[in-house]
Amino acid sequence: MKKIFRVNMTDLSVSIEDVPEAWAGLGGRALTSTVVASEVPPTCHPLGPNNKLVFAPGLLSGTPAANSGRMSAGAKSPLTGTIKESNSGGTTAQQFAKMGIKAMIIEGMPKGDKWYRLHVTKDGVTFEDASELVGKQNFAVIDAMNEKYDKKIGVMSIGIPGEKRMGAANISVKDPDQKIRSHGRGGLGAVMGSKNIKCITVDSAGAGKVEIVDTDKFRAAAKVFAKAMLDHPVSGEGLPIYGTNILINILNEAGGLPTKNFRYGTCEHHDNISGETMHDTIVSRGGHHKHGCHAGCIIQCSQVYVDENKEYITSGFEYETIWGLGANAMVEDLDDIARCDNLMDDIGIDSIEGVVLLSTAMEAGVIPWGDGKECQRVLRDEIGKATPLGHILGNGTGFIGTAYGLTRVPVVKNQGIPAYDPRSVKGIGITYATSTMGADHTAGYTIATNILNVGGFVDPLQKEGQVELSRNLQIASAAVDSTGMCIFVAFPALDIPECLPALIDMINATYGIELSGDDVTELGKYILKLEHQFNLDAGFNNAHDRLPEFFEYDPVPPHNEVWDFTPEEIDEFWNF
């Protein structure tokens, strides 16, 4: 029986509620955004008592479906001021789903300074004293919880930046191999910190299996779905071998690899930091180039990156992180970049906002260009220890730009722009501008069609078709984010006709319903419109759906393109 756990931090009470009928068909992003939109005042302070932090597994999380281990976390973002959903792997999504927890809603704020650990079981939530964990970073928290319980315990925690409520702080999630995945963007770690929650432990002992109404139909659909993922050249071949970092050389060739804080579209040392080089380095050192971020992942695009002595450095070494330090901040040593990635996991800051803020700090003269060792020191000793400089940097790219009087500040709605230049790949620029959550490539990944020829081809250097492409992909992504599926299932879904129907069949078989493809599209539209209305009520308007001005007057080599969409053309996005 599905249930809602509602945790009140003001009076330290917990209620277990039946799932409202209106929420019964929702999961993941659809549910977190619905709860936030209905229960959080849009104009509230994100770090105040009226904000709520919501966790919800997806509709298929915890089932035997491949790649269905994702959890959504939602709140009003302290970084952007907009609604926010962040999607993570790890163990907790499947644990929640198997315990029948449809969502956990955390509200209110403690009256004193005491810090808490929430301990979640199938029977409810208890409040535990977390004083011994305060001041520890994430790996130490995980070690402490493994020692207290065992390695099967689920953990969601914040580091010191989260305790100090920095805008770049994330919520770190333990994965099955004791490594860290993240509810990354938007500063949700600061929201958790504002409620004096250092850690959430999840003990799923006694949980059963997720109930599936029609197991035969589910198995048949799951088999078709898994085959489609393995048959597609991106999800079945490119990502498992090279990880997401396969994109370095591809984007460099396309002239869309932002370099030296978005001055150039190509990077001279691209091969030093490429997915091919990363793969060869991992193999030569005895690491692992195939690794899943949650149980049941068959894409295995993560990896375990080790040093020359085979000692662990990092896992989940992603393209966006490697781009941000390797090209945008001009760091040439892949080991330095990996150690920065490890530090961001440990202290608990978003590794996209983290790398963009570091390159912006270089723009400000705080860090020398290309200095990977100084980046490590700043992460560990400034941001990680919450010094005055650490507070300036840890509050994100936009905050640094304001503090140092910069005009070249790559943000939309105050969130750092990810790893694709919108002047050379114009579709992703529309996504950055119109996403309800600030600049976010995963909101509508036009790179698939602009660059990878997945789902057709729309010329990345031309304006024609980009608004429609971004709109369609944002609608689809919102729906996928509600299923508990990894967003990479979009690659076969766009190209292999059997894939999307199989995904829908698995949902129908699980719940005994009859959704159609049109129903899924309508779900995506519902989510986007709901989130957009929240932002409007929070004080945003179409003038906030814009890219930074420097993109309009600064041509990016090698194509010497500028961002040339008019406000009216961008605003067409919302006409659906």
Side-chain angles (χ1 to χ4, degrees):
M1 187 69 175
K2 298 288 185 181
K3 52 205 171 188
I4 305 291
F5 285 3
R6 188 176 292 271
V7 180
N8 189 310
M9 296 304 298
T10 303
D11 60 13
L12 301 182
S13 65
V14 178
S15 61
I16 300 176
E17 304 171 0
D18 293 334
V19 179
E21 185 176 347
W23 296 0
L26 305 178
R29 178 176 170 181
L31 186 50
T32 63
S33 289
T34 295
V35 174
V36 172
S38 62
E39 298 191 6
V40 174
T43 57
C44 77
H45 196 295
L47 301 178
N50 290 321
N51 200 6
K52 299 188 181 186
L53 180 60
V54 186
F55 294 96
L59 291 169
L60 290 171
S61 295
T63 70
N67 288 76
S68 59
R70 310 293 293 190
M71 173 86 90
S72 289
K76 180 177 178 179
S77 166
L79 183 71
T80 64
T82 67
I83 199 169
K84 178 62 194 169
E85 180 266 355
S86 181
N87 194 277
S88 177
T91 61
T92 55
Q94 292 166 333
Q95 289 177 306
F96 269 45
K98 290 176 181 178
M99 291 190 291
I101 304 172
K102 183 81 166 176
M104 183 167 74
I105 302 169
I106 304 172
E107 57 194 17
M109 185 174 291
K111 295 180 175 67
D113 296 328
K114 183 177 178 179
W115 283 83
Y116 296 90
R117 171 172 62 86
L118 303 184
H119 188 63
V120 183
T121 69
K122 64 183 178 62
D123 299 318
V125 181
T126 56
F127 300 88
E128 310 294 337
D129 181 7
S131 57
E132 80 282 1
L133 299 176
V134 175
K136 293 183 183 294
Q137 309 291 23
N138 286 307
F139 285 120
V141 172
I142 289 173
D143 287 344
M145 293 301 97
N146 284 344
E147 184 176 346
K148 184 176 182 66
Y149 298 99
D150 59 47
K151 290 189 175 182
K152 293 181 180 179
I153 196 77
V155 181
M156 296 188 286
S157 63
I158 57 173
I160 293 173
E163 293 177 22
K164 300 302 183 181
R165 302 178 296 282
M166 295 183 194
N170 65 20
I171 299 172
S172 298
V173 186
K174 190 181 82 168
D175 78 6
D177 293 324
Q178 318 305 310
K179 298 173 176 62
I180 285 177
R181 308 296 151 174
S182 302
H183 288 293
R185 314 221 66 195
L188 295 186
V191 178
M192 189 159 148
S194 74
K195 299 185 182 301
N196 284 24
I197 300 170
K198 175 65 178 178
C199 176
I200 300 169
T201 45
V202 184
D203 184 353
S204 56
K209 296 181 179 180
V210 173
E211 182 181 350
I212 295 172
V213 172
D214 189 334
T215 54
D216 290 339
K217 181 178 178 181
F218 184 93
R219 288 194 193 101
K223 184 177 181 179
V224 173
F225 181 75
K227 183 178 186 300
M229 284 198 291
L230 295 176
D231 285 349
H232 195 274
V234 175
S235 55
E237 184 177 349
L239 288 172
I241 296 174
Y242 300 111
T244 58
N245 201 34
I246 191 175
L247 290 165
I248 286 282
N249 282 340
I250 293 172
L251 266 296
N252 189 76
E253 180 70 21
L257 184 70
T259 300
K260 201 171 186 182
N261 197 21
F262 288 83
R263 282 178 171 79
Y264 314 105
T266 58
C267 176
E268 288 187 2
H269 61 266
H270 64 93
D271 195 52
N272 294 5
I273 58 173
S274 69
E276 292 83 350
T277 297
M278 182 183 77
H279 170 271
D280 293 347
T281 301
I282 290 171
V283 170
S284 69
R285 293 176 175 178
H288 302 285
H289 69 86
K290 292 181 69 174
H291 181 257
C293 74
H294 61 76
C297 172
I298 63 172
I299 296 178
Q300 301 272 302
C301 73
S302 180
Q303 60 295 115
V304 178
Y305 189 92
V306 298
D307 66 15
E308 292 177 344
N309 298 316
K310 304 186 188 306
E311 294 293 323
Y312 173 81
I313 301 181
T314 196
S315 181
F317 202 18
E318 303 293 345
Y319 162 68
E320 284 76 18
T321 309
I322 295 169
W323 151 79
L325 287 168
N328 212 39
M330 304 295 287
V331 177
E332 298 188 28
D333 190 308
L334 202 54
D335 284 358
D336 280 344
I337 300 170
R339 290 189 173 93
C340 287
D341 190 47
N342 176 278
L343 282 164
M344 287 185 282
D345 281 348
D346 194 26
I347 68 175
I349 67 167
D350 174 31
S351 65
I352 297 180
E353 192 69 38
V355 296
V356 181
L357 72 82
L358 287 170
S359 61
T360 306
M362 291 178 180
E363 185 77 34
V366 177
I367 303 171
W369 286 106
D371 194 335
K373 299 294 190 297
E374 181 65 4
C375 286
Q376 293 170 56
R377 188 198 69 79
V378 164
L379 288 167
R380 181 183 58 248
D381 297 336
E382 304 288 354
I383 301 174
K385 294 180 179 177
T387 66
L389 174 60
H391 274 278
I392 292 173
L393 302 181
N395 272 296
T397 305
F399 198 92
I400 296 169
T402 299
Y404 288 94
L406 305 178
T407 58
R408 193 179 197 87
V409 186
V411 296
V412 178
K413 301 180 182 73
N414 204 47
Q415 183 162 273
I417 295 177
Y420 313 89
D421 198 296
R423 294 161 293 187
S424 302
V425 190
K426 294 184 186 294
I428 205 69
I430 294 294
T431 295
Y432 293 158
T434 58
S435 167
T436 55
M437 303 180 197
D440 181 354
H441 63 294
T442 67
Y445 192 64
T446 73
I447 304 304
T449 308
N450 284 155
I451 301 295
L452 301 176
N453 294 342
V454 173
F457 177 71
V458 176
D459 188 338
L461 299 175
Q462 302 298 319
K463 293 164 62 174
E464 286 74 23
Q466 306 293 1
V467 172
E468 181 181 12
L469 175 65
S470 177
R471 182 195 297 128
N472 290 341
L473 289 174
Q474 288 197 52
I475 291 168
S477 296
V480 170
D481 286 341
S482 305
T483 64
M485 286 289 175
C486 165
I487 195 64
F488 291 154
V489 307
F491 290 118
L494 287 167
D495 279 343
I496 298 177
E498 299 82 11
C499 183
L500 183 58
L503 175 60
I504 297 170
D505 284 346
M506 286 191 292
I507 297 172
N508 288 337
T510 300
Y511 294 95
I513 55 178
E514 293 296 334
L515 291 178
S516 67
D518 288 342
D519 293 326
V520 174
T521 299
E522 289 305 311
L523 174 64
K525 290 179 178 179
Y526 156 79
I527 296 165
L528 289 186
K529 289 180 177 179
L530 182 79
E531 294 169 349
H532 187 228
Q533 188 60 53
F534 181 95
N535 292 346
L536 293 174
D537 293 342
F540 289 83
N541 56 49
N542 60 351
H544 294 98
D545 289 352
R546 304 291 182 260
L547 298 189
E549 185 184 28
F550 76 86
F551 285 124
E552 299 176 8
Y553 60 70
D554 190 358
V556 61
H559 302 296
N560 295 318
E561 288 285 333
V562 295
W563 178 250
D564 52 358
F565 280 86
T566 67
E568 293 77 16
E569 289 169 334
I570 298 171
D571 293 345
E572 278 296 313
F573 176 88
W574 290 107
N575 289 334
F576 66 91

